[in-house]
């Protein structure tokens, strides 16, 4: 599909137009806080693309942290109205890939989750390639790229005051059809490659998976989680984590059945009604999370559920670094299966 | 949203039966408010559904009725807020139900074979569904000998007393009832834990399938007995109950490694379970 160049003014006009037709979400500086987050905008002026990534990923725009499944009043219940059309502008390739993973999970694997699908069908993804990685970025190590297009309709690369626009889907191509043709120089093409060069080398995730396949009982798990306080921040910030709880909120006959993000790091997450808990220990819960990222989802949907965004590293109050965990597991787990 | 799997269908409580002396086990017979929904609700013994009370919540329970029965039956133990609300329901009340979810007991594999059913406590529900299904006169000739060992703490805690008393004298099923401690009640006559009674009954493993459902401790002690009787891991099936919120493999809660109890189970063969983390 034809690439175009969009000037900053051109992008500003597009954002204003899109905002008239539906919601536009983009990274915005969070008040006096030193970070950006996805907020609804009506003009490009409100946005701030200066950070590599937003504090939280964009996953909440498709899988809200709190979502109404049913509303009820006096014993009668009804489904919520269909979500509105939305454009997510400035999503990084890692986060877009994470939503593509979630889409595979929520819309495949048997039953389709209609809430996620309704939002997905009404969302346009406009990504921003990364020109400079953050210290905690490792998308290249887990199969991603700072200019990856997975999950996107259109990828923008900042080429100094203007944007190289690369359509990924027909939907993306239509967005920029009226823009002038580009004169793409080699210099511009190389921006993304330069970024990738600064990033970590790929890890052999297939070998790690083989080690994890037979490593469930290995003593390496006895020490990996010692610093973990089971706060669950890693799971809430993780753009691929999809677990939720369902609960009813009711007052005077009115209320809603809602779902809220949940975390496998919480003790009660797996606790049976009888009180029995298959993952009673913090060790078993930490192991479940790591196994899920690098083994279980590979078995389930054929891919890792880590996109290398680095948020769990930045925000872990105990300083746990998933890159170190992977390194320790790769070093200590034997590759050959230990048969019982 | 068409076909929203989270949307409960309206069901009416037709009958409430107190099952045990402790009065914390009740069976609910449910009918669909929209009668055509009953035809659409096709299930196989071993599957489960979610019961829902708007404003209170929902929870999963194994279906205790057989597919041929008019009402959908669930037996529920009162353990927390939601089950307490269920226990307070009067006949005539309309609640919600969604499902059926999960796989089922391996009925196809059981064709032409002996069937050994092992159950403890109130987990007997989906096995009741299975037994009623197998004992249907049209279906009974398709299976060999049916042996069942079912135990509870005391006689008063055994479920479906009228039915199991009838089965005790039936030649279609060899039923062994047992209690942890014999009371003054002359019924049943066998004292002992389920795995020990199973050992004494010693059903043949030749061309046989075993179905097991019970508390984790019973499962743990039952397997060695089945193994000693010659049952291969491929021929032993367990029904599991992990915490779950969605029933369709999305919410994450019930995973055993790469499998979800809700979607890939709740029935697993012992050989399948040996390849999965024992997180149940």
């Amino acid at each position: 599909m034809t690439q175009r160049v969009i000037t900053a003014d051109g992008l500003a006009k597009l954002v204003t137009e899109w905002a008239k037709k539906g919601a536009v979400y983009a990274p915005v500086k969070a008040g006096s806080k030193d970070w950006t987050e996805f907020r609804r905008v009506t003009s490009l002026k409100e946005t701030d693309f200066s950070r590599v990534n937003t504090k939280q990923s964009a996953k909440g725009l498709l899988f809200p942290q709190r979502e109404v499944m049913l509303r009820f009043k006096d014993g009668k219940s009804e489904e919520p109205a269909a979500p509105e059309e939305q454009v997510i502008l400035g999503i990084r390739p890692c986060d877009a890939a994470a939503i593509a993973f979630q889409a595979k999970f929520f819309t495949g694997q048997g039953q389709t989750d209609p809430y996620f699908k309704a939002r997905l069908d009404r969302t346009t993804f406009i990504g921003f390639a990364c020109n400079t990685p953050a210290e905690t970025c490792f998308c290249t190590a887990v199969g991603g790229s700072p200019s990856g297009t997975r999950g996107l309709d259109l990828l923008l690369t900042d080429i100094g005051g203007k944007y190289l626009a690369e359509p990924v889907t027909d939907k993306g191509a239509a967005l920029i059809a009226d823009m002038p043709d580009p004169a793409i120089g080699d210099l511009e093409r190389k921006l993304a490659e330069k970024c990738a060069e600064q990033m970590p080398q790929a890890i052999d995730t297939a070998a790690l998976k083989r080690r994890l396949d037979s490593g469930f009982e290995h003593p390496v798990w006895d020490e990996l989680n010692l610093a973990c306080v089971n706060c669950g921040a890693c799971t809430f910030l993780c753009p691929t984590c999809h677990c939720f709880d369902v609960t009813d909120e009711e007052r005077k006959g009115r209320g809603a059945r809602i779902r809220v993000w949940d975390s496998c790091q919480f003790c009660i997450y797996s606790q049976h009604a009888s009180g029995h808990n298959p993952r009673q220990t913090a060790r078993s819960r930490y192991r479940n999370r790591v196994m899920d990222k690098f083994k279980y989802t590979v078995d389930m949907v054929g891919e890792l559920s880590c996109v290398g965004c680095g948020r769990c590293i930045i925000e872990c109050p105990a300083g746990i670094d998933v890159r170190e965990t992977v390194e320790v597991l790769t070093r200590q787990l034997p590759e050959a299966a230990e048969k019982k | 949203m068409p076909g929203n799997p989270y949307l409960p269908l309206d069901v009416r409580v037709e009958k409430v039966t107190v099952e045990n002396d402790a009065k914390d086990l009740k069976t609910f017979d449910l009918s669909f408010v929209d009668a055509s929904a009953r035809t659409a609700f096709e299930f196989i013994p071993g599957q489960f559904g979610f019961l829902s009370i708007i404003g209170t919540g929902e929870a999963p329970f194994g279906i205790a009725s057989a597919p041929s029965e008019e009402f959908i039956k669930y037996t529920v133990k009162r353990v927390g807020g939601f089950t307490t609300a269920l226990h307070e329901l009067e006949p005539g009340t309309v609640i919600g139900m969604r499902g059926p979810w999960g796989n089922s007991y391996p009925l196809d594999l059981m064709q032409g074979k002996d069937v050994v059913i092992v159950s403890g406590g109130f987990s007997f529900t989906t096995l009741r569904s299975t037994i009623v299904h197998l004992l249907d006169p049209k279906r009974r000739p398709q299976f060999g000998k049916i042996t069942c060992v079912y135990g509870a703490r005391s006689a008063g805690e055994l479920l479906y007393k009228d039915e199991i008393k009838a089965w005790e004298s039936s030649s279609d099923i060899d039923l062994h009832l047992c209690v942890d401690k014999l009371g003054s009640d002359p019924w049943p006559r066998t004292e002992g834990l389920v795995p020990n009674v199973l050992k004494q009954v010693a059903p043949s493993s030749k061309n046989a399938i075993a179905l097991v459902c019970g508390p984790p401790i019973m499962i743990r002690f039952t397997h060695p007995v089945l193994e000693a009787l010659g049952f291969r891991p491929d021929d032993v099936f367990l029904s599991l109950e992990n915490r779950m919120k969605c029933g369709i493999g999305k919410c994450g809660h019930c995973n055993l490694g790469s499998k979800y109890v809700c979607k890939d189970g709740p029935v697993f063969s012992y050989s399948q379970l040996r390849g999965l983390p024992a997180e149940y």
Side-chain angles (χ1 to χ4, degrees):
Chain A
M1 276 178 268
T2 318
Q3 296 189 337
R4 309 273 176 181
V5 164
I6 310 181
T7 60
D9 282 350
L11 184 61
K13 277 187 195 124
L14 284 177
V15 170
T16 311
E17 261 175 51
W18 297 333
K20 282 178 195 155
K21 285 183 261 173
V24 179
Y25 290 91
V28 170
K29 180 136 192 304
S32 60
K33 301 283 199 307
D34 190 29
W35 66 71
T36 58
E37 58 192 23
F38 278 96
R39 284 195 191 164
R40 191 166 177 162
V41 298
T42 50
S43 75
L44 189 64
K45 269 185 286 181
E46 298 163 58
T47 63
D48 179 349
F49 301 111
S50 64
R51 313 302 156 103
V52 176
N53 230 331
T54 47
K55 184 86 159 178
Q56 289 201 50
S57 79
K59 86 170 166 185
L61 296 173
L62 283 100
F63 171 45
Q65 183 160 7
R66 179 187 181 282
E67 176 166 36
V68 171
M69 304 178 88
L70 293 172
R71 280 182 206 290
F72 47 83
K73 194 183 163 188
D74 305 326
K76 296 256 183 292
S77 59
E78 59 177 38
E79 292 175 89
E84 63 180 334
E85 290 283 339
Q86 61 181 4
V87 171
I88 305 179
L89 173 68
I91 185 172
R92 295 296 183 181
C94 56
D95 285 355
I99 290 175
F101 165 85
Q102 286 206 329
K104 210 164 165 181
F105 196 88
F106 276 123
T107 67
Q109 299 292 294
Q111 300 274 342
T112 290
D113 186 286
Y115 304 96
F116 184 93
K117 179 142 195 328
R119 287 197 157 79
L120 184 68
D121 290 346
R122 291 169 178 77
T123 305
T124 305
F125 296 91
I126 303 178
F128 252 54
C130 305
N131 292 349
T132 317
E135 264 176 56
T136 45
C137 287
F138 62 104
C139 66
T140 46
V142 287
S145 156
S147 57
T149 57
R150 184 173 178 215
L152 292 174
D153 294 299
L154 182 68
L155 177 71
L156 302 179
T157 306
D158 185 337
I159 49 175
K162 51 190 177 173
Y163 303 94
L164 176 64
E166 185 187 333
V168 184
T169 62
D170 291 341
K171 201 174 174 184
L175 290 173
I176 53 159
D178 299 337
M179 295 292 145
D181 283 336
I184 312 164
D186 287 346
L187 180 74
E188 289 135 5
R189 282 237 178 257
K190 277 186 176 147
L191 275 168
E193 289 165 28
K194 250 172 76 184
C195 180
E197 279 166 19
Q198 299 169 55
M199 297 194 57
Q201 294 294 303
I203 55 172
D204 188 346
T205 52
L208 175 62
K209 162 78 165 64
R210 286 196 298 276
R211 290 180 154 89
L212 292 172
D213 281 345
S214 59
F216 187 82
E217 302 288 357
H218 195 277
V220 67
W221 299 106
D222 294 342
E223 288 184 7
L224 278 174
N225 77 299
L226 289 179
C228 176
V229 294
N230 276 226
C231 70
C234 50
T235 52
F236 279 42
L237 292 165
C238 179
T240 70
C241 273
H242 55 80
C243 290
F244 60 85
D245 190 12
V246 177
T247 184
D248 283 16
E249 290 178 344
E250 190 263 344
R251 194 164 175 267
K252 293 183 180 167
R254 302 177 63 130
R257 177 158 295 169
I258 58 161
R259 68 172 170 197
V260 292
W261 292 351
D262 203 347
S263 169
C264 64
Q265 299 310 290
F266 299 154
C267 184
I268 197 174
Y269 173 90
S270 52
Q271 185 171 301
H272 293 192
S274 65
H276 168 71
N277 193 343
R279 285 195 288 271
Q280 183 71 47
T281 62
R283 171 185 180 276
S284 64
R285 296 193 288 276
Y286 185 82
R287 177 176 56 190
N288 185 67
R289 182 176 126 72
V290 175
M291 282 282 198
D292 189 67
K293 296 288 156 213
F294 297 100
K295 167 176 159 59
Y296 297 163
T297 64
V298 181
D299 290 335
M300 287 182 205
V301 297
E303 60 177 293
L304 303 181
S305 42
C306 174
V307 293
C309 73
R311 288 187 180 86
C312 58
I313 306 168
I314 299 169
E315 302 298 341
C316 178
I320 294 174
D321 187 329
V322 67
R323 295 168 298 187
E324 281 171 32
T325 301
V326 163
E327 191 270 319
V328 170
L329 288 169
T330 306
R331 188 155 38 82
Q332 295 204 17
L333 289 178
E335 187 158 356
E338 282 176 1
K339 295 281 178 211
K340 281 177 214 163
Chain B
M1 285 181 269
N4 183 349
Y6 298 105
L7 201 64
L9 296 176
D10 287 344
V11 287
R12 185 178 293 107
V13 179
E14 294 288 344
K15 194 173 133 196
V16 181
T17 312
V18 178
E19 292 284 352
N20 64 341
D21 290 350
K23 295 189 170 53
D24 62 356
L25 285 164
K26 283 186 179 178
T27 296
F28 300 89
D29 284 77
L30 309 172
S31 68
F32 284 92
V33 170
D34 171 7
S36 66
R38 174 66 190 91
T39 327
F41 192 84
E42 281 181 19
F43 67 95
I44 314 171
Q47 287 194 288
F48 66 95
F50 273 69
L51 295 182
S52 157
I53 300 176
I54 284 295
T56 305
E58 58 171 9
F61 303 97
I63 301 170
S65 51
S68 60
E69 291 178 289
E70 182 187 358
F71 298 134
I72 311 293
K73 199 188 278 284
Y74 292 92
T75 301
V76 176
K77 187 179 173 78
R78 193 182 69 229
V79 287
F82 179 73
T83 51
T84 299
L86 271 180
H87 271 242
E88 285 165 1
L89 294 178
E90 299 285 339
T93 317
V94 172
I95 60 169
M97 176 172 78
R98 59 189 185 91
W101 304 132
N103 61 2
S104 65
Y105 287 114
L107 294 176
D108 290 344
L109 198 66
M110 286 151 57
Q111 292 274 331
K113 293 183 181 167
D114 285 359
V115 180
V116 176
I117 292 170
V118 187
S119 179
F122 64 95
S123 70
F124 192 55
T125 58
T126 55
L127 290 170
R128 177 208 174 265
S129 166
T130 309
I131 292 172
V132 173
H133 190 69
L134 299 184
L135 295 189
D136 184 312
K138 291 195 305 289
R139 203 171 282 109
R140 181 65 189 88
Q142 298 166 21
F143 303 91
K145 187 178 180 189
I146 300 174
T147 309
C148 174
V149 175
Y150 170 40
R153 250 171 291 167
S154 62
E157 298 300 305
L158 289 164
L159 296 179
Y160 319 123
K161 292 181 190 63
D162 292 345
E163 262 174 341
I164 58 178
K165 278 177 182 166
W167 291 339
E168 269 190 307
S169 53
S170 163
S171 59
D172 283 334
I173 179 168
D174 182 22
L175 178 63
H176 299 265
L177 299 172
C178 58
V179 290
D180 293 2
K181 191 86 193 142
L182 284 181
S184 51
D185 199 318
W187 176 89
R189 290 179 201 86
T190 310
E191 185 175 271
L193 298 171
V194 168
N196 297 338
V197 175
L198 176 67
K199 204 173 184 173
Q200 289 157 21
V201 174
S204 166
S205 59
K206 203 179 154 203
N207 197 32
I209 296 287
L211 311 179
V212 182
C213 192
I217 185 93
M218 187 208 88
I219 291 178
R220 198 184 317 154
F221 287 101
T222 296
H223 192 72
V225 176
L226 289 171
E227 209 168 19
L229 289 169
F231 282 87
R232 299 174 312 143
D234 282 340
D235 295 332
V236 178
F237 291 83
L238 292 91
S239 180
L240 304 181
E241 289 190 345
N242 263 12
R243 185 186 183 97
M244 56 181 75
K245 291 292 175 171
C246 71
I248 53 172
K250 310 294 179 201
C251 79
H253 286 256
C254 66
N255 81 301
L256 295 180
S258 310
K259 300 286 178 195
Y260 286 122
V261 170
C262 67
K263 181 170 77 69
D264 304 306
V267 178
F268 293 91
S269 73
Y270 189 68
S271 60
Q272 270 180 302
L273 287 180
R274 284 205 305 193
L276 295 170
E279 292 182 335
Y280 51 88

